[in-house]
Structures are given as structure tokens and as C-alpha cells.
Amino acid sequence: MIIDVHGHYTTEPTPLREFRAAQLRGESPSVHSLAAAVSDDAIRESVDANQLRVLRDRGGDLMLFSPRASGMEHHVPDADVANAWAQASNDMVHRVSESFPAHFASVAQLPQTPDGNLEGVLAELRRTVSELGFVGANLNPDPSGTWTGLPLTDPTWFPIYELAEQLDVPLMVHVSTSCNPNFHTLGAHYLNADTSVFMQLLMSDLFSRFPGLRFVIPHGGGAVPYHWGRYRGLAMRNDWQDPSELLGNVFFDTAVYHQPGIDLLLKVVPPANLLFASEMLGAVRGADPETGVEWDDTLSYLRAAEMAEPEWDAITRANALRVYPRLATRIAEVAS
């Protein structure tokens, strides 16, 4: 079994987009009415010729599936709006996973706001994991979209970590839309967040307080693998922990869109800390004209890399089951 830990519902039904547009106009559309407006056939059709087809064509079996990342829009300050939007988005993702249980497992959008909305975040994390069977959640380290908040190591985040430990679910670090035109959402903001969060963790003792907490940093960790020596040097200079000490709790996905990038990632990060991911259908679509390979066909890059069978199995299957233990339970239940 080949497991892709990073996919998004970027082909969501039109009524969901209309629901969001109504919210942003200041209306209060009904989550229940939205559910009734989208048929099960519409849910199936939205992924059958898209994410599911591509997953199968490339040789994958199962995808961890979450709402559109840029659509989370945590910069919108109203907590009630955020709560309803997260519920609506997560319910749609849940219906995908229920329609294709052998191929999709759900990961939650949390109703974060610039002020935190901690009560709403905790309630939605509990609901999606305990009631709907979600296997993880995305956590935005910058709900403001302008980097005006506190780092992920600040105590204001601790209640989320306590609940994540209790539920035994990992958190994927994933920002949403950039609200600063200096930082392109897909080309700068996402990768900046991955890099910045790793640095925040390096300077902290967060995992001594939360030893069971697990973060997945997407997009190959941003600049982290390329500058591993810088992090080691800074750690020695400032008497911080060595970056390797974070690897009991921090994992990286393989959503890197060229062969040299994948090769570097495999050389720097231990196989035990890498999880196969494509992020499709997401940031980059189409094929590299020089190779003919789809940009986000990261499985082809892994196949072309030099690795032994145990490393291949770890990166494409075993690590996902270890980092996402509720996924292992779900797979067993679906199989039975």
C-alpha cells in the first residue's frame, strides 16, 4: 500500500464555494442546508475524475485528504464564521472519505482566527476526530496571514497540543492565504512558514513538555534540508538542541517538485522522518516540459531516487501508519 499524506479538496462542489461567498458577504448560510444541497453523487463525481483518478494512475492507494488550504482563510476574524466554515468544509471532506473509504482518510481544517478562537478550535478537533474518525488536523502557524501572531511555541497554543496528544493525532503545519502581497501564497508564504516553524521549534523545549506531540512539516520542510548545516551551526553557537533532536517529533513530507530536491531531501533527512506526499491537486499543476513528468508526481521522483526496499516502504507506507496511528486503525476497519 502506498499512502499519500497530503492532498486537498480543491475540486469541491459549487455549493460549498457559494456557502463561503455568502459568509463573506455578511450572511449566515446554514451548514445543514449546504449538506442537503450537495448529493452523494456530486461528492463522488468531484473526486472520481480528479484526485482519485490521478492517485490510481500514479500507483498510489490512499490519500490523507483535507479542505483547500488557501481556502481556510483564517485571517477572517469572526469566530462564528470560522466555526461554521470549518464545519462545512470538514463535513464535505468526511463525505469524500465515506464515499471512498479505501482511498481517502480525512484531515481537519481548524476554525482558527487571528485572535485564536481556542474554544472553537478545540471543539472542532474533538468533533472531527472523536465523532467523524479524522486521523489528523492542519494547524496554521499564522492565522493573521501577515505574521503578526505568536510563535507555535508560545503557551497560548498549548491547549491544542494537549488535546492532540490526548487524541493521538499529528498536526500538519500548513498556512492559508497570504494577506501580504510581498509573500506569494504558494511560492513564498507556504515555504516561509515551513522554515519559520522549524526554527521556532529549534529554539524551544516544546517537546520536553509535550513528548507525544507530532508535527508534519510539508513541502519538504521549506528551506530546512538545504540549510541543515546552518541550523546545526546556530544551535551550537546559541547552546540550543541539535536539530536532529527534533526528529522524534517532527516529520517532513515529500511534496517537492523536482528530482534534485527529492534527492537532497533523502540525503539530509533520515528515512524514518519522511512521508510520501504530492499535495495534489494543489499548488502546481501541469508537467515539466523538460521531462514530461507532472510537477506534483512526486512518486515518480521517489522511484527514480536511490533507496533500498526498507526505506521505500518506510517513506511510502510504514511511517504514515506510525505517525498517524488512527489511520492504521481506519485501514484495518475498512479492510474488515
Side-chain angles (χ1 to χ4, degrees):
M1 173 179 284
I2 293 178
I3 302 170
D4 185 337
V5 302
H6 188 175
H8 292 296
Y9 199 4
T10 52
T11 56
E12 63 271 69
T14 299
L16 181 61
R17 295 193 292 270
E18 293 173 343
F19 177 96
R20 183 56 168 174
Q23 280 194 318
L24 297 179
R25 290 194 300 268
E27 302 171 19
S28 299
S30 166
V31 173
H32 299 294
S33 298
L34 170 64
V38 180
S39 68
D40 290 341
D41 285 343
I43 292 288
R44 287 189 286 267
E45 290 169 4
S46 69
V47 297
D48 187 58
N50 296 299
Q51 291 91 344
L52 182 56
R53 175 189 61 80
V54 176
L55 181 70
R56 288 167 164 166
D57 287 350
R58 294 177 180 174
D61 298 294
L62 174 65
M63 173 177 281
L64 273 57
F65 206 50
S66 63
R68 182 190 295 264
S70 61
M72 295 188 295
E73 296 182 318
H74 293 133
H75 61 277
V76 177
D78 190 299
D80 290 337
V81 168
N83 292 339
W85 178 227
Q87 181 181 343
S89 300
N90 289 330
D91 287 352
M92 288 292 170
V93 166
H94 176 62
R95 290 178 65 182
V96 171
S97 68
E98 291 299 287
S99 295
F100 300 99
H103 300 292
F104 294 98
S106 299
V107 171
Q109 167 182 326
L110 299 177
Q112 297 173 252
T113 66
D115 289 337
N117 187 28
L118 183 60
E119 182 178 348
V121 167
L122 297 178
E124 187 64 5
L125 184 56
R126 286 193 194 94
R127 183 184 80 94
T128 52
V129 174
S130 300
E131 299 179 22
L132 301 183
F134 281 43
V135 301
N138 292 335
L139 184 69
N140 186 349
D142 173 39
S144 71
T146 56
W147 290 102
T148 57
L150 295 168
L152 282 186
T153 52
D154 186 83
T156 54
W157 298 89
F158 288 1
I160 301 174
Y161 303 157
E162 291 169 357
L163 183 56
E165 274 194 322
Q166 177 186 329
L167 296 173
D168 200 16
V169 293
L171 301 171
M172 176 173 278
V173 175
H174 210 310
V175 287
S176 186
T177 300
S178 170
C179 296
N180 186 332
N182 287 311
F183 305 112
H184 185 274
T185 295
L186 304 178
H189 188 47
Y190 282 14
L191 306 182
N192 292 346
D194 304 334
T195 307
S196 297
V197 165
F198 187 81
M199 190 66 206
Q200 292 172 13
L201 297 174
L202 184 63
M203 295 187 293
S204 80
D205 63 349
L206 184 68
F207 298 123
S208 64
R209 181 183 292 269
F210 299 102
L213 180 64
R214 300 183 298 282
F215 283 130
V216 178
I217 301 182
H219 320 117
V224 171
Y226 189 72
H227 287 291
W228 195 262
R230 175 177 289 255
Y231 295 117
R232 290 187 63 216
L234 286 171
M236 294 180 66
R237 177 182 177 183
N238 292 282
D239 197 26
W240 301 329
Q241 63 196 316
D242 187 86
S244 63
E245 295 180 41
L246 297 175
L247 296 181
N249 304 82
V250 177
F251 305 85
F252 302 87
D253 81 17
T254 68
V256 176
Y257 294 157
H258 67 149
Q259 191 68 51
I262 288 289
D263 293 342
L264 174 68
L265 184 64
L266 293 171
K267 289 179 181 178
V268 175
V269 178
N273 289 82
L274 293 174
L275 291 80
F276 163 58
S278 65
E279 200 186 4
M280 69 95 169
L281 300 165
V284 183
R285 304 189 191 185
D288 184 342
E290 295 181 1
T291 64
V293 177
E294 298 284 322
W295 296 108
D296 60 3
D297 185 3
T298 54
L299 197 57
S300 70
Y301 307 140
L302 289 174
R303 289 190 177 107
E306 295 181 3
M307 72 176 81
E309 180 59 31
E311 284 74 27
W312 169 267
D313 182 66
I315 293 169
T316 61
R317 184 194 66 87
N319 292 345
L321 300 180
R322 176 167 54 89
V323 176
Y324 293 82
R326 286 180 178 267
L327 176 61
T329 302
R330 175 182 171 81
I331 291 172
E333 291 173 348
V334 170
S336 65

